């Protein structure tokens, strides 16, 4: 693969202003939390990112797009009271998300459509902070007992909002609505801003103001209970102290962080100051507390993340005190937002700020596990390309840019670019589109020939045509029917032959628009006024567990769509892992008269099980025939299994060169019209490449034959358990793929934000090698000093060569465990126990003694099962496949490992092909798009070396390192060398 490493394509990530988890911490919850657990990240450009922790395998699930001059300054989740369905089964309450941002309105978002559901605004100042009321204890009732009105009310959650004029109000969220309920504090003459707010309990609100005070309110009678003051500011500075954050511990203790860098602890009962700790050199912007109330984290302008822990109180009568344990500068800029979530096996703190990167820190294992950073780049790349014109398209907010990448000659065997292609002269910005209006771009696509461009927002879809003009491109907006341009779309995609435009509406309806050439002119393109509505399969949601029903129809939220290489198969996938597919039946006959449109009104995707639809409601009962073709869902489409996790890579395998199926019949194979069938069509089905590659969020790789509704032969011989352990243990999720098919190549290049993997699909992956018992297991079973020395040598080796650490099942959801020799807090993890007169010893894992490593045995057992039984089954499958092919294809070659250390792919040799290959050289990757591939017409763009061998697909790899991001000036302390 020939790589153009690009850093000139801009993408400005936005600062993080707010963080919120869907559920409060619950240390008694088993495993790593709720299946419907989500994290909302609010950014300064108005976007809200929804992240799925997925038991420690974090990935970005969706983005709620903002708009011009909008910002997210606060987030809060609530959950409606549980309900009972018609069968008497308990149904979890719906999760609801609220936001604020430099306005007088509180906005509720619809997760399914990605649009605001409702607003609540009034005659008060700008809302600066919000908090959700905690739920009351759930009363214990039998199945036949009904809850009283007071008990039902205890399960409702109000929203408290603090305003710039000093007023505090409550918003009622019952009955799925958002309306004004009560004013707790009216605007005073001083109009002291309410900077922070939280609930101490269900009836008490704590508010931090900009006048050096922390005030307490009782929402039952709308009265102020107490006014606690911090005094005047430091000498030489402002007289008033800004209370940027307030939090409450489980015992009622109030914690505040202010503009002097001080963390204050207040007695929650008599409202007196207990202790002050000067923890930061500048303003403390946010606080976070642990579920047990023994740890408090603070983050501020000095980039520090500081841990405070409760000390003392071991004996009755002892007074507890708080102490600053440690601090570390993990962020590159201000730390503006923090959020925590804890269960029995998951204990994490998420922080973010102006450096745009969310960090995951362990709480209970702080300094014993590493922190990890999530990507500040979109999970789905904001890049597209037109390989036939060597154009790269990028977009953000309301702007789209087009770059032309010049070809480069390959010099004598070195693979370096010719001098005239190096530097800025190798690329050029040839066009730019800036959308009018306020809505941000949700999706873009460009046809493979670079002629058509589609840009969608939540309000409209716009189609542009690119025409050559000297050394640049002229952008011309095309007139489109109201049904095309007047509706917004979340996702759009051109078919490879540029005859169809697929759109996914806000309500997850799937529509295809026909593109045709009027009067036979390629430059005169038009859209048919009516779309083809594709109906998805109705899924039986009765099998979904109670904890997943809280997301409602968001479970059917479509995230990916793809066309096959011949444009005759179309497929979509949703958050739950369901795949729906359709095929294009018949031959295209442009001479045929258009049939009347039979499209049905738009309907949202079903969110619950229902009876089978009647023929009158089924679009396939009255198909929309367009030029002798129509889309239908094959019966085998229901045979595609539900994926175990949401898909992150969703792509059809391209057809090899010179195998493109001719789809236009010119009327020769289309039936003639008759009186009974005035608009006839052929029933010819596609026969081209139908293999669909899917990579899930849990790094599970599958390939399906869509037409037959089964997994492909390669996927059957190479299940997920046969993938390399290094690939399965990748912490950063995949973003996309690039294909290299043709000239004896069947390779797919998968990539994430900091890794690039190649798999050769023409070969089987090597079987798991027989390996002896691990040193960890031997040490835990009393292997003694030899096993411990082996373990230490391997740990030292991995540390020296920077081998990526494995993601074990028993981590807390943050990063990998800190090396034993680098632990800074507490004692080590291993202890040698001696017993008996002879002094026999046994090495004991202290984490196992504490119950933290209870899953390690399960992991070892799984490895043993896969090693013993899995290899035998795979060998049997491959032998059967080998015999069915006449024994002419080698599928059992050993692993090819390059010993040279060179991270570039070597030229292909029949006996030196690699099963897989990877590198961590490129980071952070915004996206990879093809510039030319081996399936291009007449072989254009295929790079060759001097010996005539093919080097494969040519791609543009776009990197966006943090040092290229324009950030505001940051705070520098007196001792900046102090971490």
């Amino acid at each position: 693969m020939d790589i153009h490493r690009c850093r000139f394509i801009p993408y400005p990530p936005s600062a993080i202003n707010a963080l919120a988890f869907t559920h409060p911490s619950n240390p008694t919850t088993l495993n790593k939390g709720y299946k419907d657990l989500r994290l909302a990240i609010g950014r300064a450009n108005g976007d809200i990112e929804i992240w799925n922790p997925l038991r420690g395998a974090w990935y970005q699930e969706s983005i709620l797009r903002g708009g011009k001059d909008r910002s997210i300054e606060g987030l809060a989740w609530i959950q409606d009271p549980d309900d009972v369905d018609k069968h008497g089964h308990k149904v979890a309450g719906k999760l609801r998300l609220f936001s604020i941002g430099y306005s007088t309105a509180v906005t509720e978002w619809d997760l399914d459509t990605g649009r605001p559901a409702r607003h609540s605004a009034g005659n008060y100042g700008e809302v600066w902070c919000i908090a959700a009321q905690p739920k009351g204890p759930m009363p214990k009732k039998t199945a036949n007992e009904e809850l009283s009105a007071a008990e039902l009310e205890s399960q409702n959650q109000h929203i408290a909002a603090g305003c710039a004029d000093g007023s505090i109000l409550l918003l009622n969220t019952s009955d799925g609505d958002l309306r004004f309920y009560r004013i707790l504090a009216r605007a005073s003459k001083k109009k002291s801003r309410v900077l922070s707010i939280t609930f101490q309990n269900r009836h008490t609100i704590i508010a931090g103001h900009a006048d050096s005070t922390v005030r307490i309110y009782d929402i039952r009678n709308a009265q102020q209970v107490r006014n606690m003051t911090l005094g005047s500011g430091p000498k030489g500075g402002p007289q008033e102290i800004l209370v940027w954050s307030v939090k409450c511990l489980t015992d009622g203790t109030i914690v505040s962080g202010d503009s002097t860098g001080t963390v204050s602890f207040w007695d929650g009962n008599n409202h007196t100051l207990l202790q002050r700790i000067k923890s930061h050199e500048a303003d403390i912007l946010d606080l976070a507390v642990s579920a047990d109330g023994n740890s408090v984290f603070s983050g501020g302008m000095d980039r520090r993340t500081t841990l405070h822990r409760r000390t003392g109180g071991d004996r009755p009568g002892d007074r507890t005190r708080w102490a600053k344990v440690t601090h570390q500068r993990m962020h590159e800029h201000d730390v503006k937002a923090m959020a925590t979530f804890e269960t029995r096996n998951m204990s994490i703190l998420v922080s973010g700020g102006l450096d745009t990167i969310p960090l995951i820190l362990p709480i209970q294992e702080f300094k014993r596990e590493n922190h990890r950073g999530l990507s500040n780049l979109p999970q789905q790349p904001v890049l597209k390309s037109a390989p036939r014109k060597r154009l790269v398209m990028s977009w953000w907010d309301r702007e789209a840019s087009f770059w032309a990448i010049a070809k480069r000659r390959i010099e004598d065997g070195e693979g370096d670019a010719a001098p005239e292609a190096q530097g800025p002269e190798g690329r050029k910005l040839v066009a730019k589109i800036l959308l009018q209006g306020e809505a941000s771009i949700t999706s873009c696509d460009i046809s493979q020939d670079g002629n058509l461009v589609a840009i969608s927002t939540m309000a409209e879809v716009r189609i542009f045509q690119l025409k050559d003009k000297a050394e640049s491109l002229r952008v011309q907006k095309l007139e489109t029917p109201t049904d095309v341009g007047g509706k917004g779309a979340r996702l759009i995609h051109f078919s490879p032959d540029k005859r169809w435009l697929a759109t996914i509406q806000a309500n997850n309806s799937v529509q295809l628009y026909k593109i045709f050439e009027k009067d036979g002119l390629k430059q005169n393109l038009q859209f048919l006024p009516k779309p083809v509505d594709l109906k998805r399969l109705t899924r039986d949601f009765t099998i979904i567990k109670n904890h997943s029903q809280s997301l409602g129809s968001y479970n059917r939220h479509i995230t990916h769509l793809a066309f096959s290489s011949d444009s005759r198969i179309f497929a979509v996938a949703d958050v739950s892992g369901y795949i729906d597919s359709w095929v294009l039946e018949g031959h295209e006959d442009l001479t045929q008269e258009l049939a009347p449109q039979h499209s049905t009104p738009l309907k949202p995707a079903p969110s619950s099980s229902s009876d089978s639809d009647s023929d009158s409601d089924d679009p396939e009962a009255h198909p929309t025939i367009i030029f002798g073709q129509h889309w239908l869902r094959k019966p085998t489409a229901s045979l595609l299994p539900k994926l175990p996790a949401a898909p992150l890579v969703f792509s059809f395998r391209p057809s090899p060169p010179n195998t493109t199926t001719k789809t236009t019949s010119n009327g020769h194979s289309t039936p003639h019209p008759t009186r009974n069938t005035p608009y006839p069509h052929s029933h010819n089905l596609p026969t081209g490449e139908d293999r669909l590659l899917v990579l899930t969020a849990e790094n599970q790789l599958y390939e399906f034959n869509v037409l037959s509704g089964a997994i492909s032969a390669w996927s059957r011989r190479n299940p997920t358990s046969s993938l390399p352990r290094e690939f399965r243990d990748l912490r950063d999720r995949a973003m996309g793929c690039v294909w290299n098919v043709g000239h004896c190549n069947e390779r797919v290049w998968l990539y994430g934000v900091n890794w690039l993997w190649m798999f050769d699909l023409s070969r089987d992956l090597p079987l798991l090698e027989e390996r002896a018992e691990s040193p960890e297991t031997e040490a835990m079973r009393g292997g003694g000093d030899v096993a411990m020395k082996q373990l230490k040598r391997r740990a030292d080796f991995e540390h020296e060569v920077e081998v990526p650490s494995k993601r074990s099942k028993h981590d807390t959801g943050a990063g990998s465990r800190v090396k034993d020799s680098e632990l800074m807090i507490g004692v080590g993890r291993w202890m040698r126990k001696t017993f008996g007169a002879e002094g026999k010893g046994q090495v004991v894992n202290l984490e196992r003694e504490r119950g933290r490593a209870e899953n390690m045995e399960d992991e070892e057992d799984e490895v043993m099962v896969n090693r013993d039984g899995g290899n035998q089954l795979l060998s049997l499958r491959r032998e059967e496949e080998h015999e069915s092919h006449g024994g002419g294809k080698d599928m059992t070659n050993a692993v090819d490992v390059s010993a040279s250390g060179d991270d570039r792919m070597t030229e292909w040799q029949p006996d030196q092909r690699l099963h897989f290959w990877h590198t961590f050289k490129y980071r952070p990757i915004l996206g990879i798009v093809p510039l030319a591939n081996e399936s291009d017409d007449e072989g254009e763009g295929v790079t060759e070396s001097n010996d005539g061998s093919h080097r494969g697909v040519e791609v543009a790899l776009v990197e966006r390192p943090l040092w290229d991001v324009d950030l505001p000036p940051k705070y520098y302390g007196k001792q900046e060398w102090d971490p």
Side-chain angles (χ1 to χ4, degrees), residues 809-879:
K809 294 184 177 181
H810 53 278
D811 61 16
T812 62
S816 57
R817 293 189 296 178
V818 176
K819 187 179 176 182
D820 289 351
S821 60
E822 297 177 356
L823 289 175
M824 301 177 63
I825 298 179
V827 297
R829 299 188 179 92
W830 300 88
M831 180 178 66
R832 181 181 178 85
K833 286 186 176 180
T834 57
F835 52 89
E838 301 178 358
K840 295 183 179 180
Q842 181 181 9
V843 179
V844 178
N845 188 329
L846 296 181
E847 292 185 352
R848 182 182 295 275
E849 295 293 325
R850 298 200 309 266
R852 291 297 321 283
E854 56 188 12
N855 293 328
M856 294 182 69
E857 292 181 356
D858 298 336
E859 185 175 356
E860 292 292 336
D861 294 341
E862 180 183 355
V863 173
M864 294 296 293
V865 170
N866 290 337
R867 186 176 64 192
D868 297 336
N871 282 352
Q872 297 177 5
L873 179 60
L874 289 180
S875 299
L876 180 61
R877 286 179 177 176
R878 295 179 181 182
E879 288 177 2

Side-chain angles (χ1 to χ4, degrees), residues 81-82 133 136-139 141 145-158 172 174-175 181 202-203:
D82 296 341
Q133 182 185 29
M138 187 65 183
K141 298 281 186 178
E145 291 181 315
E146 295 184 358
L147 298 178
S148 64
E151 292 171 339
L152 288 174
E153 176 61 25
S154 67
Q155 298 304 304
N156 288 323
Q157 296 177 269
H158 296 314
N172 194 324
S174 59
D175 301 325
Y181 177 63
R202 185 167 172 80
H203 306 296

Side-chain angles (χ1 to χ4, degrees), residues 276-562:
R276 283 186 177 182
I277 301 177
K278 177 69 173 177
S279 303
H280 294 260
E281 299 178 357
D283 296 45
I284 294 177
L285 301 180
D286 204 3
L287 296 171
V289 299
S290 62
D292 59 6
N294 292 325
S295 299
V296 173
F297 291 85
S298 60
M301 292 180 60
D302 58 356
R303 313 193 307 282
R304 288 182 177 180
T305 301
T306 305
L307 170 62
H308 310 80
R309 279 185 177 165
R310 196 194 301 262
T311 60
D314 298 333
R315 289 178 289 183
D318 287 354
R319 182 182 178 184
T320 60
R321 300 285 294 175
W322 288 88
K324 173 184 172 183
V325 178
T326 182
H327 71 264
Q328 186 174 350
R329 288 191 178 99
M330 302 177 184
H331 286 274
E332 296 295 329
H333 218 291
D334 299 4
V335 184
K336 294 190 64 176
M338 308 177 85
T340 59
F341 181 78
E342 293 185 78
T343 61
R344 182 178 298 183
N345 297 97
M346 188 175 186
S347 177
I348 55 173
L349 163 73
V350 184
S351 62
L354 294 185
D355 62 359
T356 73
I357 297 178
L359 292 184
I360 313 297
L361 290 76
I363 295 179
Q364 301 300 334
E365 295 296 310
F366 190 74
K367 290 289 187 177
R368 299 175 65 85
E369 286 185 357
N370 293 306
H371 67 276
R372 60 169 298 197
L374 303 180
S375 175
N376 61 346
L377 304 177
Q379 186 75 49
Q380 297 190 24
V382 289
L383 290 175
K384 290 294 179 66
S385 68
R388 298 176 188 174
K389 277 197 174 181
R390 303 182 64 85
L391 287 178
V392 176
M393 177 186 184
S394 65
W395 67 91
W396 70 91
D397 291 346
R398 296 175 296 112
E399 180 179 329
S401 302
F402 300 85
W403 297 82
I405 310 296
K407 295 182 180 180
R408 66 180 187 180
R409 293 185 293 105
I410 305 301
E411 296 296 328
D412 299 339
E414 297 296 333
D416 296 329
E420 63 270 19
Q422 293 180 352
E425 59 272 14
R427 82 265 183 174
K428 184 177 181 180
L429 180 64
V430 293
K432 182 180 292 188
I433 298 176
L434 182 62
L435 297 184
Q436 297 179 354
E438 296 184 353
S440 296
I441 296 174
T442 57
S443 181
C444 290
D445 198 19
I446 184 172
S447 60
Q448 292 191 0
D449 59 1
N451 188 12
L452 285 182
V453 174
I455 301 178
S456 68
T457 66
M458 296 304 293
E460 60 181 343
V461 176
R462 302 184 185 183
I463 310 297
F464 301 90
Q465 192 169 17
L466 302 181
K467 297 182 179 180
D468 294 330
K469 180 183 177 181
E471 296 183 356
S472 61
L473 294 177
R474 181 166 62 92
V475 180
Q476 179 182 355
K477 183 180 178 181
L478 297 182
E479 295 295 333
T480 56
T482 304
D483 282 352
V484 180
K487 302 174 182 177
R490 291 192 298 103
L491 296 173
I492 54 176
H493 187 52
F494 283 112
S495 63
D497 61 4
K498 203 178 63 176
R499 296 177 181 176
W500 299 93
L501 173 65
T503 65
I504 307 298
Q505 306 294 322
N507 59 358
N508 287 301
S509 60
V510 183
Q511 294 182 324
L512 296 181
Y513 293 90
K514 177 65 177 178
I515 308 172
F516 66 99
E517 301 169 0
K518 186 177 181 181
D519 301 328
L521 300 177
K522 293 184 178 181
Q523 298 299 324
N524 193 0
L525 299 176
Q526 289 191 357
F527 288 80
L528 289 184
K530 294 293 183 179
V532 178
D533 293 327
L534 302 182
K535 186 178 180 181
R536 301 162 67 193
L537 284 172
T538 301
R539 308 293 183 177
D540 186 5
F541 273 76
T542 58
I543 60 175
I544 294 184
K545 296 182 179 180
N546 179 57
H547 50 240
S548 297
Q549 295 176 350
S550 60
L551 295 173
S553 55
Y554 179 72
N555 290 302
R556 300 302 313 278
H557 186 83
I558 297 176
T559 57
H560 291 80
L561 68 165

